[in-house]
């Protein structure tokens, strides 16, 4: 994944496809556990990106319902993690990985844990 490579080149170390919270059935694509930053890179197709989401004519209703469920789950996962005090960053797979890496790096650097303050959720 291009974003991971960009992060690694930037000196950041992280876990991949890891669960932020054991009690939640959510796996982040990139996880900074001590900084409590969870990063998701959403596929344009399955997560219905506004630019590249499907407009499939066949089974259009079925697809619309399925993709709407996926997006609703994305939103639910984001807010569940935020409730646990995680910073959640979501990117589309079409986004510039270097730019995404900059956003991630600044979120990790700005985390209360990284600055050495006690974390309060
Ligand atoms: Zn896209």
């Amino acid at each position: 994944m291009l974003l991971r490579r960009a992060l690694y080149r930037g000196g950041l170390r992280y876990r991949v496809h890891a669960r932020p919270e054991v009690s939640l059935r959510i796996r982040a694509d990139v996880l900074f556990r001590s900084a409590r930053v969870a990063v998701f890179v959403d596929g344009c197709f399955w997560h219905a990106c506004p630019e590249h989401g499907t407009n499939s004519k066949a089974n259009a209703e079925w697809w619309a319902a399925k993709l709407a469920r996926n997006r609703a789950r994305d939103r639910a996962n984001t807010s569940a993690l935020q409730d646990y005090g995680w910073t959640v960053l979501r990117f589309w797979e079409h986004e510039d990985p270097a730019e995404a890496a900059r956003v991630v790096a600044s979120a990790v650097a700005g985390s209360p844990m990284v600055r050495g303050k006690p974390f309060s959720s």
Side-chain angles (χ1 to χ4, degrees), residues 2-67:
L2 293 172
L3 172 62
R4 292 212 302 259
R5 230 174 287 155
L7 291 169
Y8 198 88
R9 268 202 308 272
L12 295 175
R13 297 299 177 262
Y14 44 81
R15 304 194 53 191
V16 177
H17 300 307
R19 280 192 191 191
E21 297 289 334
V22 191
S23 56
L24 300 177
R25 314 189 114 259
I26 301 170
R27 281 184 196 282
D29 293 309
V30 181
L31 191 68
F32 298 87
R33 198 173 284 289
S34 60
R36 290 184 87 75
V37 173
V39 181
F40 298 83
V41 179
D42 296 333
C44 291
F45 178 76
W46 288 107
H47 299 262
C49 146
E51 288 177 43
H52 307 106
T54 182
N55 284 310
S56 168
K57 290 275 196 293
N59 292 315
E61 274 179 38
W62 184 87
W63 275 112
K66 166 141 192 77
L67 296 177

